[in-house]
Amino acid sequence: MYRAEDARRYAGLAINQGIHVQKGQTLLIRAQVDCVEFVRLLTEEAYRAGASDVQVFFTDTQVDRLRYQYAPQEVLDNPAGWMPQAQADYLEKGGCVISLTSADPDAFLGLDMGRVGRGLNAAKVAAKPFREQVDKGENQWLVLGVPSPGWAQKAFSQDGPERAVEKLWDAIYHTMRLDEADAAGAWEAHSRTLREQCGKLNGSGVVSLRLRNALGTDLALGLVDGPVWEGGSSQTTGGVSFHANMPTEEVFSAPHRDRVNGTVYSSMPLNYQGTLIEGMRFTFRDGVVVDCDAKTGREALDLMLSVDEGSRRLGEVALVPVDSPLAKAGALIQQAGILFYNTLFDENASCHLALGSAYPSCSRGALDLSRQERLARGINESVSHVDFMFGTADLSVVGVRADGSTLQIFENGQWAF
Amino acid sequence: MYRAEDARRYAGLAINQGIHVQKGQTLLIRAQVDCVEFVRLLTEEAYRAGASDVQVFFTDTQVDRLRYQYAPQEVLDNPAGWMPQAQADYLEKGGCVISLTSADPDAFLGLDMGRVGRGLNAAKVAAKPFREQVDKGENQWLVLGVPSPGWAQKAFSQDGPERAVEKLWDAIYHTMRLDEADAAGAWEAHSRTLREQCGKLNGSGVVSLRLRNALGTDLALGLVDGPVWEGGSSQTTGGVSFHANMPTEEVFSAPHRDRVNGTVYSSMPLNYQGTLIEGMRFTFRDGVVVDCDAKTGREALDLMLSVDEGSRRLGEVALVPVDSPLAKAGALIQQAGILFYNTLFDENASCHLALGSAYPSCSRGALDLSRQERLARGINESVSHVDFMFGTADLSVVGVRADGSTLQIFENGQWAF
């Protein structure tokens, strides 16, 4: 249930443990207008923590829907760039950015999805200045969930609108550890645990993974050169620690864009641009999807793969145990394996892969490399980054070292060490 | 009362009779987030009328309030320019712009008004690219009122929040002529009447005005060289007709920045940056305020005059009869002469002057002139433009021609012809 006091604690946690705003820093907030109340809380907490300025970039999904419904294709193909450019300018001058995710997964339902998809992909291209600046690793950034009526109703479809929003707030408070007395302390302890797992993997010498389960997944996944596993807090190039996702349960690295072979099956549906894609299968050869299928949403799947050259290759591999708080919270919500209908929450409830761009920070020293040098290390590049879940209760992940020796990393969907 | 159907009619009137959006044109909407529902209506009506794109620029007064409360003075002195710059860029490429006015007049109450005033004035400077583009006369623009709870409660202070909002909607529907079956027709007829009054004044040869009433006003007000009276619809330099204000009841021109002498008393209070200024008196010599006073809000008055060199000179003189629908609607609201607490509505209920910038279109051919040439014609320049009301039921306005002959324009607060 939305309680002003808990919402303020949530905002405080986001500002101090999450984005970790620095004294004199400018904070950007990117939000849907229906999050305005929470935006105000974040704004006040940020100033109290010493931010010098808070700039809010509001958008409205219903205004976007009207554009996709009515605007000529030429306008959809050439979306406005002023907002991502202004955001990039602030980040270049040392700002940090919180993105609130709240959108109704069905916001574009009933429209011509070809038009919508093409438009959304063009919008990703227009957002490149922002994305590229974030990828430099100089700025703290944070993605945070805020319940909207549309999203809540989708996640809690058996409840009325108000009850659904209340339940979604409760789920968020739980996954943010706000039901513990010392939420900040609990959060730090959790973050430390994730960093410890990263430490073990980073010291393991593992250069590739073998993923297998009874769904039929059998994937040999080479990692980028000089692989780095990340999880819990991150650090900017200037040494400021922050959490890029709240909640976060994942430990992740980057697959090599040319070294993925075999087949992987999705274990949960994916909501892509308003279409539910279920029962996906991808077959890779030398990093590229050479064959794929889906039980529903095949057309959307094809769109997803055809954004650019990099959208057919992997950019992320993330490990999340099946007993994570988010997986549990998700299981309480729905039976069918359909969880939060929001990537931030769903990706933290299951092992997942992402098709599209990789985080350069997942290859040692790559933040300082040119685009060409990053590609040579196997770091994938795309305007797209779409997570899909493959984690199951019988998942096995085996790490393989350069000398051929192996390390059991996951067994029965859990950490093996 | 807010009725979805009437709100849509209001939006349709604004799009078709007001901004008169052209096929293939981009419409900008500047709005507070609490107007989002009406923004969506405007957006849909605009696309239906053939707009190719609608770009919405949302702000939130409460976020602004937090900035004025917490941000360092240096940040307030150097406000963000990305939004007005993006707006100016769209207008340069042929867009048109609707600004929604809805703000709570008391939004900044309780803050250090010196800090707020300095910050708001700096924001006006940051908005110069937008303002200067609008002043070129190339683009349609429109200011429109949308009830917010804060504003409604201020205007209808004896009612509860919901009832106040309902009453404010009713007042707006009335002044927009939406209670007539053919609102568009009624609006066009009204606009024609205003243009006819302009025509009479423009053919009169009047070069200065003498304003007098029993409050003590006695002002000799020279007009700019080549004075033009405007009212009702305007035309862009490209020949597209539009209404810049809805509602509009005024016929206006520009005083010469060096040729105003005498004294004028305000007839209604002014809400300036959250402070109510009552009982103002201004004494002018050669266009400049050389003495002034106020019964309350003297400090805010001084701030208002000290924005820049032009904020101590007049930029607008507007004539509104005391029996205009807005004056009547206003009189129904409150006894004390305090009306809508919103310039768009208050200025259309009474004769008024503005301290600050003039509209270059009020001097023949001045849209094509340089800044220096405009000043030489007497067109005032300022980042500020603040309207105050001087109209009374005994107001007399006499026009004086170059040869010294006179023309009674207003008598007992009404048109004399």
Side-chain angles (χ1 to χ4, degrees), chain B residues 263-285:
Chain B
T263 295
V264 60
Y265 285 83
S266 66
S267 58
M268 290 204 297
L270 169 68
N271 191 296
Y272 182 71
Q273 300 179 341
T275 301
L276 202 67
I277 316 179
E278 295 175 286
M280 287 177 286
R281 174 183 59 76
F282 299 98
T283 300
F284 290 85
R285 190 176 307 138

Side-chain angles (χ1 to χ4, degrees), chain B residues 316-389:
Chain B
E316 185 185 350
V317 53
L319 303 179
V320 182
V322 288
D323 63 352
S324 87
L326 266 153
K328 283 188 204 160
L332 291 174
I333 293 176
Q334 296 267 2
Q335 309 301 329
I338 302 168
L339 298 177
F340 284 97
Y341 281 94
N342 179 302
T343 300
L344 175 66
F345 290 83
D346 290 336
E347 73 169 359
N348 280 300
S350 172
C351 286
H352 55 277
L353 295 166
L355 285 153
S357 64
Y359 298 105
S361 52
C362 290
S363 173
R364 199 155 28 251
L367 287 172
D368 300 324
L369 299 182
S370 71
R371 206 184 133 245
Q372 278 309 322
E373 289 168 322
R374 288 183 185 182
L375 285 172
R377 286 207 172 189
I379 302 170
N380 195 31
E381 182 188 79
S382 173
V383 298
S384 185
H385 179 103
V386 183
D387 296 278
F388 69 92
M389 318 307 147

Side-chain angles (χ1 to χ4, degrees), chain A residues 197-231:
Chain A
Q197 300 288 19
C198 292
K200 286 174 198 164
L201 287 169
N202 287 329
S204 68
V206 162
V207 296
S208 73
L209 307 177
R210 183 77 179 263
L211 317 176
R212 269 190 273 211
N213 69 11
L215 273 182
T217 292
D218 188 355
L219 195 70
L221 184 153
L223 296 170
V224 287
D225 296 343
V228 175
W229 289 89
E230 297 191 88

Side-chain angles (χ1 to χ4, degrees), chain A residues 144-335:
Chain A
L144 212 60
V146 177
S148 67
W151 173 24
Q153 281 251 264
K154 187 79 183 171
F156 297 92
S157 55
Q158 281 144 359
D159 294 291
E162 281 181 34
R163 185 77 194 109
V165 169
E166 287 179 4
K167 281 191 175 177
L168 189 49
W169 273 113
D170 282 338
I172 288 179
Y173 293 146
H174 174 66
T175 56
M176 291 293 291
R177 292 161 173 82
L178 281 162
D179 41 19
E180 302 190 32
D182 177 14
W187 186 263
E188 288 304 335
H190 167 59
S191 178
R192 202 159 45 239
T193 305
L194 291 174
R195 286 198 301 278
E196 283 164 9
Q197 300 288 19
C198 292
K200 286 174 198 164
L201 287 169
N202 287 329
S204 68
V206 162
V207 296
S208 73
L209 307 177
R210 183 77 179 263
L211 317 176
R212 269 190 273 211
N213 69 11
L215 273 182
T217 292
D218 188 355
L219 195 70
L221 184 153
L223 296 170
V224 287
D225 296 343
V228 175
W229 289 89
E230 297 191 88
S233 61
S234 306
Q235 285 222 334
T236 66
T237 50
V240 179
S241 70
F242 67 100
H243 289 93
N245 283 183
M246 278 181 137
T248 182
E249 303 288 338
E250 63 178 347
V251 164
F252 64 96
S253 190
H256 192 292
R257 67 193 304 273
D258 297 325
R259 297 183 194 156
V260 180
N261 288 284
T263 295
V264 60
Y265 284 83
S266 66
S267 58
M268 290 204 296
L270 169 67
N271 190 297
Y272 182 71
Q273 300 179 340
T275 301
L276 203 67
I277 315 181
E278 295 175 286
M280 287 177 285
R281 174 183 60 76
F282 299 99
T283 300
F284 290 85
R285 190 176 305 143
D286 296 336
V288 183
V289 175
V290 290
D291 189 30
C292 69
D293 200 7
K295 285 182 187 150
T296 69
R298 175 61 202 253
E299 197 188 343
L301 180 60
D302 289 339
L303 258 169
M304 180 178 128
L305 292 172
S306 59
V307 174
D308 55 24
E309 207 276 330
S311 64
R312 300 182 76 84
R313 298 171 185 268
L314 291 180
E316 186 185 349
V317 54
L319 303 178
V320 182
V322 289
D323 62 352
S324 85
L326 266 154
K328 284 189 202 157
L332 293 175
I333 292 175
Q334 295 268 3
Q335 310 299 328

Side-chain angles (χ1 to χ4, degrees), chain A residues 90-103:
Chain A
Y90 274 108
L91 294 183
E92 269 172 41
K93 286 181 277 182
C96 56
V97 57
I98 296 179
S99 303
L100 299 186
T101 167
S102 64

Side-chain angles (χ1 to χ4, degrees), chain B residues 137-151:
Chain B
E138 299 169 0
N139 314 91
Q140 312 105 278
W141 58 278
L142 168 62
V143 182
L144 212 59
V146 177
S148 67
W151 172 25

Side-chain angles (χ1 to χ4, degrees), chain B residues 215-259:
Chain B
L215 273 182
T217 292
D218 188 355
L219 195 70
L221 184 154
L223 297 169
V224 287
D225 295 344
V228 175
W229 290 89
E230 298 190 89
S233 61
S234 304
Q235 284 222 334
T236 66
T237 50
V240 179
S241 69
F242 68 100
H243 289 93
N245 283 183
M246 278 182 137
T248 183
E249 303 290 337
E250 63 178 350
V251 164
F252 63 97
S253 191
H256 192 292
R257 70 193 300 274
D258 298 324
R259 297 183 193 154

